[in-house]
């Protein structure tokens, strides 16, 4: 069975315009009116009928599309792909080319967090976004899960952004009407309608990946639709469009929204745990908020006075509706930032403040943990072969470099536009050939004070530089 991920190349578009023809006054000379009053009444009836007709045409489908469209965004950017034909023909062993890719995303939080498919943003150098109103911005990859083919990106710019109404996928019915919105072949906000054809489909993509428990629909899905919403007739998102059956018509698939939200919440939780330690676990409750289920002895949450069973309702003035909302609020914080928490206990509401600490989960090396806290990057040393190829292309003699694998949102690195894939070559007057070099640099007195430092990096065979404003390196409960 062939499955095509609905990701494609941008297509050119030529638009033609036509003129309107108007009726001239002398064309009406042969018309005889029997009564001015009756003609006027007839025109009123016609206008009234026209308004009534338009109202009747505003079907639930029209209302659903109107409701959901403002939160749908167009994602596009360039990918670097490896070309094997050149080496097979005796050419250069490493041959790459740039391709234009596109897809769709859905805003799930007014702060600008967008859900899309992982294959839409995979290996994209710069992720460009076009909003529903035509405004252009950029987005940063926050977290991803290749296995489930889901990713979370954050829009740059000032919010709040329109968000998608969310439904549920545990009560879907075969035969009910569904609507897909996406940027099919580059035609932004293309809407198609169909029905749910089947539920709980397992769809193999290749030998290593398989989608599970998908919604099968007859709504038209094309390249560029990936990551867009599948809506019910109320305009609520019930799935994320992901793939079509190659060579078939009206056979498309979407990831159910309940599965999407669970996966994205776990994805952000893993990302948050790599960044910082809070020392508690939580679960959803029917009344809203997040209930504390476990506390780490001596952890930040425990020291702040929280107890198992407390229901968190607000973090830093942000209301907490569910675990996803909680994880997104934590995502807004950096390691070391204070976390103001409001919670309910036995019918009374309290507030407390807890500290966040840098996590050692992902950073076995203290220098790597410090780089995440001070600079805002997760890095790994570039291998010897990588450095040799880089020096050969750039005609340089660097001893090494640190490949950026992740960038913390809101950090100094993020503000300077550093992205995953960049190779950090040096800070101030020192090279960053390895983690031991980075440790010594960040331990320098002027660096520890949080001063501004010049940095150098390589991106797509270009050496770039900028200036980083580096980060300088027991609570009471109160009733609300």
């Amino acid at each position: 069975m062939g499955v095509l991920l609905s990701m494609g190349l941008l297509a050119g578009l030529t638009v033609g315009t036509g003129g309107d023809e108007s009726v001239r006054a002398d064309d009406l000379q042969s018309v005889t009116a029997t009564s001015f009053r009756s003609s006027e009444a007839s025109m009123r009836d016609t206008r009234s009928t026209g308004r009534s007709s338009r109202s009747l045409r505003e079907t639930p489908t029209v209302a659903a599309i109107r409701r959901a469209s403002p939160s749908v965004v167009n994602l596009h950017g360039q990918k670097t792909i490896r070309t094997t034909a050149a080496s097979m023909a005796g050419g250069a062993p490493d041959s790459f080319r740039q391709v234009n890719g596109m897809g769709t995303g859905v805003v799930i939080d007014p702060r600008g967090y967008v859900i899309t498919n992982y294959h839409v943003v995979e290996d994209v150098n710069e992720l460009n976004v076009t909003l529903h109103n035509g405004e252009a911005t950029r987005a940063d990859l926050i977290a991803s899960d290749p296995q489930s083919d889901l990713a979370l990106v954050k829009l740059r710019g000032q919010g709040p952004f329109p968000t998608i109404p969310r439904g549920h996928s545990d009560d879907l019915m075969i035969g009910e009407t569904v609507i897909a919105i996406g940027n099919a072949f580059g035609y932004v906000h293309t809407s198609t309608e169909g029905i749910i054809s089947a539920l709980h489909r397992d769809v193999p993509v290749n030998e290593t990946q398989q989608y599970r428990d998908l919604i099968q629909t007859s709504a038209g899905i094309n390249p560029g639709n990936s990551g867009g919403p599948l809506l019910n007739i109320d305009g609520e998102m019930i799935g994320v469009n992901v793939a079509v059956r190659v060579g078939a018509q009206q056979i498309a698939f979407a990831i159910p929204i309940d599965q999407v939200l669970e996966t994205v919440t776990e994805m952000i939780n893993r990302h948050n745990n790599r960044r910082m330690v809070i020392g508690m676990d939580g679960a959803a409750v029917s009344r809203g908020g997040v209930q504390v289920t476990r506390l780490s002895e001596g952890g930040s949450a425990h020291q702040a006075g929280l107890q198992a069973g407390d229901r968190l309702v607000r973090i830093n003035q942000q209301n907490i509706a569910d675990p996803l909302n909680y994880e997104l609020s934590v995502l807004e914080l950096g390691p070391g930032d204070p976390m103001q928490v409001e919670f309910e206990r036995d019918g009374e509401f309290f507030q407390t403040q807890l500290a966040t600490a840098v996590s050692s989960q992902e950073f076995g090396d203290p220098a790597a943990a410090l780089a995440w806290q001070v600079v805002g990057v997760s890095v790994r040393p570039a291998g010897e072969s990588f450095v040799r190829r880089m020096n050969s292309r750039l005609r340089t003699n660097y001893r090494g470099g640190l490949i950026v694998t992740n960038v913390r949102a809101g950090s100094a690195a993020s503000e300077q536009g550093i992205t995953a894939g960049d190779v950090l070559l040096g800070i101030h007057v020192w090279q960053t050939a390895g983690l031991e070099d980075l440790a010594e640099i960040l331990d320098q007195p002027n660096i520890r004070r949080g001063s501004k430092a010049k940095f150098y990096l390589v991106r797509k065979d270009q050496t770039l530089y900028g200036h980083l404003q580096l980060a300088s390196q027991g609570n009471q409960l109160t009733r609300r």
Side-chain angles (χ1 to χ4, degrees):
M1 174 180 177
V3 174
L4 172 65
L5 303 181
S6 48
M7 180 75 177
L9 302 182
L10 292 175
L13 174 65
T14 301
V15 179
T17 59
D20 293 329
E21 296 183 1
S22 58
V23 178
R24 296 174 302 177
D26 56 0
D27 290 336
L28 303 179
Q29 291 178 354
S30 61
V31 177
T32 302
T34 57
S35 168
F36 172 78
R37 186 177 301 276
S38 64
S39 298
E40 184 182 36
S42 176
M43 291 174 65
R44 282 200 305 268
D45 291 342
T46 301
R47 287 196 297 267
S48 176
T49 302
R51 285 194 295 269
S52 176
S53 175
R54 188 179 191 280
S55 176
L56 291 174
R57 298 197 324 265
E58 291 184 351
T59 64
T61 300
V62 173
I65 294 172
R66 183 187 297 129
R67 185 184 186 195
S69 289
S71 60
V72 181
V73 300
N74 173 27
L75 306 175
H76 49 99
Q78 283 193 330
K79 293 187 177 189
T80 302
I81 64 171
R82 183 185 298 272
T83 304
T84 57
S87 59
M88 291 174 64
D94 292 318
S95 181
F96 301 89
R97 66 185 179 93
Q98 298 286 321
V99 298
N100 294 320
M102 64 184 175
T104 308
V106 186
V107 182
I108 60 163
D109 186 273
R111 289 165 289 192
Y113 291 102
V114 173
I115 289 177
T116 187
N117 287 137
Y118 172 72
H119 74 259
V120 170
V121 298
E122 182 184 13
D123 297 328
V124 172
N125 300 320
E126 294 181 355
L127 190 57
N128 301 302
V129 183
T130 304
L131 305 179
H132 178 259
N133 60 8
E135 292 183 8
T137 184
R138 294 270 299 279
D140 300 300
L141 177 62
I142 302 299
S144 62
D145 185 6
Q147 188 64 32
S148 63
D149 196 16
L150 290 169
L152 182 80
V153 302
K154 189 175 191 297
L155 302 176
R156 298 183 185 180
Q158 197 69 26
F161 297 92
T163 58
I164 192 85
R166 300 203 302 254
H168 297 279
S169 51
D170 59 356
D171 61 350
L172 298 179
M173 300 174 290
I174 295 175
E176 73 171 287
T177 300
V178 290
I179 304 159
I181 303 179
N183 302 298
F185 287 109
Y187 295 98
V188 298
H189 281 79
T190 295
S191 301
T192 56
E193 186 180 34
I195 64 169
I196 293 180
S197 305
L199 298 168
H200 311 298
R201 293 291 199 202
D202 294 340
V203 180
V205 177
N206 51 44
E207 294 180 356
T208 60
Q209 185 177 10
Q210 174 173 288
Y211 294 107
R212 295 188 179 278
D213 203 27
L214 296 185
I215 305 168
Q216 180 184 330
T217 81
S218 63
I221 302 295
N222 294 284
N225 273 108
S226 279
L230 183 70
L231 310 174
N232 61 21
I233 200 64
D234 294 325
E236 299 170 332
M237 184 168 71
I238 58 169
V240 172
N241 299 315
V242 67
V244 295
R245 173 69 187 267
V246 176
Q249 294 183 354
Q250 296 183 312
I251 297 181
F253 300 96
I255 307 172
I257 185 62
D258 294 346
Q259 179 181 330
V260 169
L261 296 179
E262 181 180 350
T263 301
V264 171
T265 300
E266 292 176 356
M267 194 166 67
I268 304 171
N269 176 260
R270 291 194 299 268
H271 179 74
N272 284 335
N273 288 339
R274 288 195 296 264
R275 299 187 309 122
M276 66 179 73
V277 175
I278 295 176
M280 69 177 177
D281 294 331
V285 287
S286 58
R287 292 182 295 162
V290 172
Q291 187 173 54
V292 178
T293 58
R294 186 192 66 85
L295 289 163
S296 299
E297 186 71 26
S300 299
H302 182 261
Q303 292 180 1
L306 289 174
Q307 298 177 7
D310 290 343
R311 183 173 70 95
L312 309 185
V313 296
R314 184 174 295 189
I315 292 177
N316 288 0
Q317 307 304 315
Q318 178 69 39
N319 291 332
I320 303 302
D322 51 39
L324 174 61
N325 196 232
Y326 166 79
E327 295 295 348
L328 289 174
S329 295
V330 174
L331 187 58
E332 292 284 297
L333 302 172
D337 290 347
M339 182 173 167
Q340 190 78 26
V341 177
E342 295 184 27
F343 62 95
E344 180 193 18
R345 177 188 297 167
D346 298 329
E348 292 191 83
F349 288 87
F350 302 86
Q351 62 182 14
T352 186
Q353 181 170 292
L354 57 87
T356 58
V358 177
S359 173
S360 60
Q361 178 176 323
E362 189 174 69
F363 308 113
D365 192 302
L370 201 58
W372 184 254
Q373 179 181 6
V374 176
V375 184
V377 292
S378 175
V379 294
R380 61 177 175 83
E384 292 183 7
S385 60
F386 180 95
V387 175
R388 282 199 302 270
R389 291 196 303 271
M390 180 182 70
N391 282 329
S392 176
R393 293 195 308 269
L394 300 177
R395 297 182 180 179
T396 54
N397 59 351
Y398 291 107
R399 293 185 294 110
L402 296 173
I403 299 175
V404 177
T405 59
N406 199 5
V407 178
R408 176 164 56 83
S411 66
S414 177
E415 291 176 357
Q416 286 297 310
I418 296 176
T419 62
D422 291 343
V423 183
L424 185 64
L425 300 175
I427 295 177
H428 198 41
V429 296
W430 302 286
Q431 286 192 39
T432 53
L435 286 171
E436 62 280 359
D437 294 333
L438 185 62
E440 293 181 10
I441 293 171
L442 297 181
D443 196 45
Q444 295 297 315
N446 58 331
I447 299 296
R448 291 177 64 87
R449 286 194 295 268
S451 60
K452 183 172 285 189
K454 195 171 185 178
F455 70 92
Y456 305 86
L457 60 80
V458 167
R459 175 186 298 165
K460 292 192 293 188
D461 293 343
Q462 286 187 311
T463 303
L464 308 174
Y465 72 91
H467 292 83
L468 291 165
Q469 181 61 60
L470 300 175
S472 59
Q473 301 180 48
N475 298 289
Q476 296 293 319
L477 295 183
T478 58
R479 283 183 170 82
R480 194 175 68 183

